[in-house]
Amino acid sequence: MHRWSELFIPTLREAPADAEVASHKFLVRAGYIRQLAAGIYSYLLLGNRSFNKIMAIVREEMDKIGQEFYLPALHPLSLWEASGRWPHVVGENLFRLKDRKGADMALGMTEEEVMTSIALKDLRSYKQLPQIWYQIAPKFRDEPRPRSGLLRVRQFMMKDSYSFDIDAAGLDVSYKKHYSAYCRIFDRCGLKYMVVEADSGAMGGKESHEFMVRTPAGEDQVVSCDGCDYAANMEKATSKLEPWGDLAPEGDGKPLLVHTPGQKTIEDVAKFLGVSPKNKIKTLALMADEVDEGKKKSRQIVVLMRGDHQLNEAKLNATVGAATRPMEEGEIKALFNSPPGYLGPMGIEWAKELHRLLFPHKDADKPVLLVDKALEGRANLIAGANKEDYHLKNLTPGKDFIPTAYADLRSVTAGEACPNCGKPLRIDTAVEIGHIFKLGYRYSESMGLRVLDKTSMEMMPIMGCYGIGMERILTAAVEQGNDENGFWLPPAIAPFEIVVSPVNMKDDAVRKAAEDIAKRLEAAGFDVILDDRDERPGVKFKDADLVGIPFRITVGKKVTEGTVEVAIRSTHEVRDATITRVVEYFQELLGRAG
RNA sequence: CGGGGAGUGGCUCAGCCUGGUAGAGCACCUGGUUCGGGACCAGGGGGUCGGAGGUUCAAAUCCUCUCUCCCCGACCA
């Protein structure tokens, strides 16, 4: 029997001054966690109990589709060089250290390399496929800015799994198995989540979904439709645009120089010329810098958007395969020979094909012109003339200038039409609790994973990787259920399901009834804590409300009538229950067989 | 890494401007009275004022450097 008086549950009356989000404040106040350093937390009794329950659920569901391993977190750095992720892909986020001999080591951020190295040594034949291997283990990331309590940390517990299949169809199966296992896991954890299409990143990925929980504390923007099941990460989301009429050509229809003195912004020019920003081209001048073998190389990238649209940097980075930054004034002058405010696509020789930036090809030195798909097929648009105080009319993409490529580069805004059903889209902030990802051949290829196929030929297995952040589940659950007094967790992941609170420990009838109730509930399989502290009732109620336990049984004066009160934390509902039938009462309430 | 903020007992904070040798509330310990929503009375313990250097007769307070933590941004397969 768990007796509160004997346990270490250091609740705080006030939230730590440096906590901002609800989950951070309450997890500290409730004595779940204590901070050791930025982004590094200790779990105390309650936090650990909750954590273990979450891991047990994940393990149970994962065991239905895969096999649990336990891999080291301490890796030779050479492993990360072999896969090509160190130094460029993971960069400073990889924790590094040296052993006593001076050998370079790293703390694992994920385990693709380790898993693949096992596969590499011991997978020989297509007959051994498919495989799904997983583990639940700490991961380390030297985040530039840990934040929001457990939301973004430097050490965290991750369930990561990896699938190896013969072909894309096999990968589909492994992927779908994970998709449904994840749904079962998050359902059982009592989370209200959504599954969204995700950006697969600059690595040129394939299909990817994220499991998201809406909360203002989150770091991701999620676009979704209430009318259908469309949902996507902002980095990936699209929308259907209202058709917008093109202007009629003026003059002979050729690009026409117009005087626009002092008119620099889209709005100014549109107003000055009496047109909508939707008939204007927004010209964005960017640079992509890449470092390869110590050589720094920059590439000019110009993006054209519809005047009223916003560039989505994640989409741009995925398209270009590199990070970009705005051009500096000198760089703008060098390319456009014009001051900012009057930039446009005319008079510049653009690259004809979009290759990887540092990939040597004949256009490698030419600037790249990316045109957002919203401008594809439009005509007689207005853009800067690359000449101070002048703009050009009658510009038609594909005719007057040839883009290097058209791409979806636009950020969706709330209220735009769903690409599937046309209903208005909504945008929410959300926290990512899980991510499934079709890796393809990236690691099989870079690490040389091969098995023999039916015809005795070598073939490369295709991989997938799948992650769940354990503390994100806890955090999301707290964000999802809290009020000014504390929080409540879904029973499946709460440290205790029921707290029994005798109102006065010195009253023998009350104390004995409470002990008896707690014992019987425990014998029936409920996870119970008895608040046997010699505290005033107010203290016990405040603590009970704070620490995330979903149900409370108040044992007070009514014991003489044979009843106690059952308080439902989430709804504040209080009901009387007959002492002799308390076990049955909870069996019914929690839908558990007697 | 850029911008902002903060480090004083376990927690929340005051004191700093205008230097004079550290305080409050909560928590904790002892005794007593209380006992259905963070009780009250009395007594008590606990602080290198983040660290280093400097100015001064004297530094929590002024100056310099530095470390740490938080927030916004950048970043986040």
Side-chain angles (χ1 to χ4, degrees):
Chain A
M1 158 105 58
H2 293 278
R3 294 171 181 277
W4 198 307
S5 67
E6 295 166 2
L7 301 176
F8 185 60
I9 304 174
T11 58
L12 299 175
R13 194 178 285 234
E14 284 171 287
D18 53 19
E20 294 267 320
V21 300
S23 56
H24 187 197
K25 286 180 186 167
F26 285 132
L27 288 172
V28 173
R29 276 192 62 200
Y32 275 55
I33 58 170
R34 286 296 182 261
Q35 184 178 41
L36 182 63
I40 306 178
Y41 287 85
S42 306
Y43 281 74
L44 313 187
L45 173 80
L46 293 186
N48 190 238
R49 284 184 71 90
S50 180
F51 216 52
N52 283 152
K53 289 189 181 185
I54 292 168
M55 286 195 282
I57 291 172
V58 171
R59 183 167 281 125
E60 225 177 277
E61 294 300 336
M62 284 307 298
D63 279 341
K64 291 178 185 168
I65 67 166
Q67 307 153 63
E68 184 173 12
F69 286 14
Y70 171 54
L71 306 179
L74 193 56
H75 303 170
L77 187 63
S78 57
L79 190 63
W80 287 75
E81 288 167 337
S83 71
R85 288 165 103 192
W86 170 259
H88 294 308
V89 180
V90 294
E92 295 297 307
N93 271 24
L94 183 67
F95 268 108
R96 280 152 289 138
L97 62 156
K98 284 185 192 295
D99 69 12
R100 64 199 300 157
K101 287 180 283 187
D104 289 312
M105 309 292 286
L107 297 178
M109 300 172 65
T110 56
E111 303 279 340
E112 278 87 352
E113 283 80 1
V114 180
M115 285 287 188
T116 309
S117 76
I118 293 167
L120 194 64
K121 286 174 186 150
D122 291 294
L123 283 181
R124 298 283 149 70
S125 159
Y126 74 95
K127 291 178 188 166
Q128 292 171 295
L129 300 180
Q131 292 288 334
I132 293 176
W133 300 339
Y134 84 95
Q135 65 156 357
I136 302 174
K139 300 288 177 290
F140 300 86
R141 295 185 188 182
D142 197 358
E143 294 284 347
R145 184 150 94 82
R147 74 183 92 188
S148 306
L150 293 184
L151 217 51
R152 181 160 217 84
V153 287
R154 295 195 292 171
Q155 174 179 343
F156 60 100
M157 197 65 90
M158 185 178 183
K159 186 291 297 175
D160 49 320
S161 41
Y162 306 87
S163 63
F164 301 87
D165 281 281
I166 296 173
D167 54 21
L171 176 57
D172 277 344
V173 173
S174 295
Y175 191 85
K176 287 199 179 100
K177 280 184 179 175
H178 276 87
Y179 191 114
S180 52
Y182 277 31
C183 289
R184 289 196 300 271
I185 288 167
F186 299 131
D187 283 338
R188 287 183 60 184
C189 287
L191 294 174
K192 284 181 236 118
Y193 62 95
M194 55 204 268
V195 189
V196 309
E197 293 173 24
D199 172 30
S200 39
M203 291 322 303
K206 319 264 184 291
E207 200 175 352
S208 176
H209 286 90
E210 288 167 334
F211 293 73
M212 296 283 200
V213 173
R214 283 190 185 114
T215 155
E219 298 186 294
D220 286 278
Q221 298 284 108
V222 171
V223 177
S224 60
C225 175
D226 288 329
C228 68
D229 61 0
Y230 179 77
N233 193 304
M234 192 68 173
E235 298 177 347
K236 167 101 180 181
T238 60
S239 65
K240 210 185 286 175
L241 290 175
E242 303 274 316
W244 188 261
D246 287 321
L247 300 171
E250 290 185 34
D252 60 1
K254 296 235 171 69
L256 179 66
L257 204 60
V258 285
H259 192 45
T260 51
Q263 311 295 318
K264 291 187 183 178
T265 68
I266 299 281
E267 286 72 27
D268 288 348
V269 175
K271 203 180 271 178
F272 184 80
L273 296 176
V275 301
S276 162
K278 293 175 184 173
N279 296 100
K280 262 226 70 188
I281 292 175
K282 181 191 281 186
T283 305
L284 298 162
L286 303 157
M287 291 296 262
D289 299 323
E290 274 209 347
V291 180
D292 194 25
E293 318 249 321
K295 268 189 314 194
K296 189 177 160 188
K297 175 151 177 139
S298 296
R299 189 81 187 272
Q300 297 154 320
I301 298 183
V302 173
V303 175
L304 304 188
M305 309 285 304
R306 198 173 86 177
D308 60 328
H309 285 163
Q310 289 295 320
L311 172 67
N312 185 316
E313 285 185 47
K315 288 182 179 177
L316 175 64
N317 291 354
T319 304
V320 185
T324 54
R325 61 169 173 85
M327 274 190 196
E328 287 161 21
E329 188 117 8
E331 292 167 333
I332 291 178
K333 193 92 189 165
L335 177 61
F336 294 93
N337 193 29
S338 158
Y342 305 95
L343 304 184
M346 299 300 287
I348 296 169
E349 195 183 343
W350 303 104
K352 290 195 173 53
E353 279 179 86
L354 184 61
H355 283 288
R356 281 189 44 209
L357 289 184
L358 293 176
F359 187 77
H361 56 98
K362 61 178 170 23
D363 279 347
D365 293 326
K366 290 186 190 150
V368 171
L369 180 66
L370 295 175
V371 177
D372 183 61
K373 286 205 162 137
L375 293 179
E376 195 169 11
R378 297 288 307 276
N380 304 320
L381 298 158
I382 299 167
N386 293 331
K387 182 178 179 186
E388 186 155 14
D389 291 339
Y390 284 93
H391 281 76
L392 284 172
K393 288 185 169 181
N394 292 346
L395 289 184
T396 299
K399 185 180 116 202
D400 299 304
F401 56 90
I402 309 295
T404 307
Y406 289 101
D408 175 20
L409 299 170
R410 167 177 67 93
S411 277
V412 167
T413 52
E416 284 175 3
C418 170
N420 288 354
C421 73
K423 293 235 171 63
L425 292 169
R426 57 185 281 184
I427 300 180
D428 298 278
T429 57
V431 55
E432 178 187 343
I433 51 176
H435 195 167
I436 56 178
F437 190 80
K438 288 186 182 176
L439 275 177
Y441 296 102
R442 165 154 171 65
Y443 294 89
S444 322
E445 171 137 47
S446 65
M447 299 185 70
L449 175 60
R450 302 282 187 281
V451 297
L452 291 186
D453 70 10
K454 279 180 191 165
T455 62
S456 303
M457 296 289 285
E458 280 198 336
M459 54 94 57
M460 257 194 292
I462 186 166
M463 291 176 61
C465 70
Y466 318 86
I468 293 179
M470 297 297 137
E471 27 282 274
R472 292 273 178 94
I473 293 181
L474 179 58
T475 311
V478 177
E479 291 292 339
Q480 203 173 270
N482 67 79
D483 58 23
E484 66 280 2
N485 293 321
F487 63 98
W488 52 93
L489 291 175
I493 63 169
F496 295 98
E497 293 167 305
I498 305 164
V499 52
V500 179
S501 307
V503 144
N504 185 348
M505 285 302 285
K506 293 206 174 77
D507 182 326
D508 277 352
V510 167
R511 198 192 71 239
K512 281 183 184 153
E515 297 248 355
D516 169 61
I517 288 166
K519 264 185 211 139
R520 281 163 44 219
L521 283 167
E522 192 169 73
F526 291 100
D527 212 351
V528 183
I529 180 170
L530 173 67
D531 190 353
D532 60 341
R533 295 175 297 169
D534 187 15
E535 289 285 355
R536 296 164 61 84
V539 173
K540 294 188 180 186
F541 294 159
K542 287 287 183 190
D543 272 345
D545 284 349
L546 175 62
V547 299
I549 301 175
F551 304 105
R552 183 182 81 214
I553 299 175
T554 310
V555 184
K557 288 186 202 111
K558 289 184 206 160
V559 288
T560 54
E561 304 158 25
T563 56
V564 290
E565 285 168 9
V566 174
I568 318 284
R569 178 65 183 85
S570 56
T571 60
H572 305 104
E573 196 182 339
V574 179
R575 302 180 206 156
D576 280 351
T578 309
I579 293 179
T580 52
R581 292 192 42 83
V582 163
V583 169
E584 289 81 353
Y585 183 94
F586 275 97
Q587 281 168 340
E588 205 169 300
L589 192 62
L590 288 174
R592 215 174 284 178

